[in-house]
Amino acid sequence: MSAEPIIRIRDLKTAYGSHVVHEHLDLDIRRGEIIGIIGPSGCGKSVLLRAIVGLKQPAAGSIEVFGERLEKLDPDERRTLERRWGVMFQDGALFSNLTVRENVMVPMKEHTSLGPQLRTELADMKIRLAGLEPDAGLKYPSDLSGGMRKRAALARALALDPELLFLDEPTAGLDPITAAGFDTLVRQLQKSLGLTVFLVTHDVDTLYATCDRIAVLGEKHVLAVGTIDELRKVDHPWVQEYFGGPRGRAATGH
């Protein structure tokens, strides 16, 4: 794993009107790591993700992705940069009127000039890569279980062969066995494809199963960053409760 930051955030402030979500937030994401983003409800985990991918305009500070600041790019340069990442939103955000295959092809239609046959073949490959049976591509999101919908959304996030993958609460609402299967898949994909993964979660099991490092958000900034072992030593009430409470102990088998 390279120490070179693929994402560099400095003195970030985000706000909705007078409500400040983040202030003086600093964070580096290293190339090739899976970093988990955790914190109390309402601390702005998903807002941070949205700010990085350009869906939420920062009020102050800077965000660099691949060494570039989105707001300084022209539309063509920005589209080129956006092709280098994939995003799986919290609820999957699949188009209900499109089949899984058609959903996976949406980014290809938007960002490439590939022909229909090649798009279809690539979409089917991504569907298999996400751990779905080939016939899942012909189904609509409403035909799928929660776990299968998550995998379909993951297939779409992988559509353009991204270097960087954003996952927003990927195991939320899944039963433990399905969630564990998804965690294993993310780890396998990260290793085989050389991905950098920015993973927003509240699931302790996911952190233990997948993450190289974890960033704890709270009090409008990053409270701590490190491995699980390092965070267990952080003297902060929320961090102590998270890793030392019943769920944290259960995840370690203690």
Side-chain angles (χ1 to χ4, degrees):
M1 188 190 306
S2 163
E4 170 206 348
I6 201 167
I7 300 171
R8 185 190 299 270
I9 303 169
R10 291 292 178 271
D11 205 27
L12 180 69
K13 178 179 180 180
T14 63
Y16 290 92
S18 61
H19 174 63
V20 176
V21 181
H22 304 123
E23 198 158 32
H24 305 306
L25 187 151
D26 295 336
L27 183 63
D28 284 347
I29 314 300
R30 299 169 184 164
R31 186 179 291 275
E33 74 173 340
I34 300 182
I35 187 163
I37 309 297
I38 66 170
S41 295
C43 71
K45 299 183 290 290
S46 296
V47 175
L48 180 60
L49 185 158
R50 293 173 68 83
I52 295 169
V53 301
L55 295 174
K56 170 66 182 162
Q57 185 68 34
S62 67
I63 300 173
E64 290 182 7
V65 188
F66 302 112
E68 303 280 3
R69 288 180 62 168
L70 280 183
E71 73 275 13
K72 295 192 173 180
L73 302 178
D74 68 34
D76 285 342
E77 291 171 330
R78 182 164 172 156
R79 274 193 295 274
T80 300
L81 191 70
E82 288 173 347
R83 283 190 57 172
R84 298 175 69 183
W85 65 65
V87 185
M88 179 184 157
F89 292 103
Q90 194 165 339
D91 54 1
L94 295 166
F95 297 108
S96 59
N97 61 328
L98 300 180
T99 64
V100 169
R101 178 194 280 163
E102 289 166 341
N103 265 284
V104 176
M105 288 195 289
V106 166
M108 299 179 196
K109 286 182 177 177
E110 188 179 339
H111 289 282
T112 76
S113 55
L114 298 172
Q117 181 63 34
L118 190 51
R119 285 201 303 260
T120 299
E121 290 173 9
L122 284 171
D124 289 347
M125 188 178 78
K126 303 301 179 184
I127 289 164
R128 289 195 300 274
L129 197 61
L132 290 171
E133 295 297 323
D135 66 344
L138 303 176
K139 295 178 179 176
Y140 289 88
S142 58
D143 300 328
L144 305 179
S145 67
M148 290 172 73
R149 275 198 298 276
K150 300 272 190 183
R151 287 174 184 253
L154 179 61
R156 188 176 65 183
L158 293 169
L160 299 175
D161 298 323
E163 301 163 57
L164 176 57
L165 188 61
F166 294 92
L167 305 177
D168 194 356
E169 298 280 11
T171 57
L174 300 182
D175 66 83
I177 293 172
T178 306
F182 196 94
D183 291 339
T184 301
L185 174 66
V186 168
R187 201 44 159 158
Q188 289 171 341
L189 288 172
Q190 185 270 332
K191 285 180 178 172
S192 61
L193 302 177
L195 297 168
T196 304
V197 182
F198 182 99
L199 191 159
V200 172
T201 189
H202 65 273
D203 191 326
V204 183
D205 292 328
T206 294
L207 298 178
Y208 279 90
T210 63
C211 293
D212 300 300
R213 290 193 309 151
I214 296 155
V216 184
L217 300 192
E219 299 162 25
K220 300 180 183 174
H221 59 273
V222 176
L223 295 172
V225 187
T227 64
I228 288 174
D229 285 344
E230 288 167 345
L231 291 180
R232 289 171 78 90
K233 298 169 187 167
V234 171
D235 185 19
H236 186 280
W238 192 89
V239 180
Q240 284 293 314
E241 174 59 27
Y242 188 89
F243 290 104
R247 292 180 68 202
R249 287 199 303 272
T252 61
H254 296 311

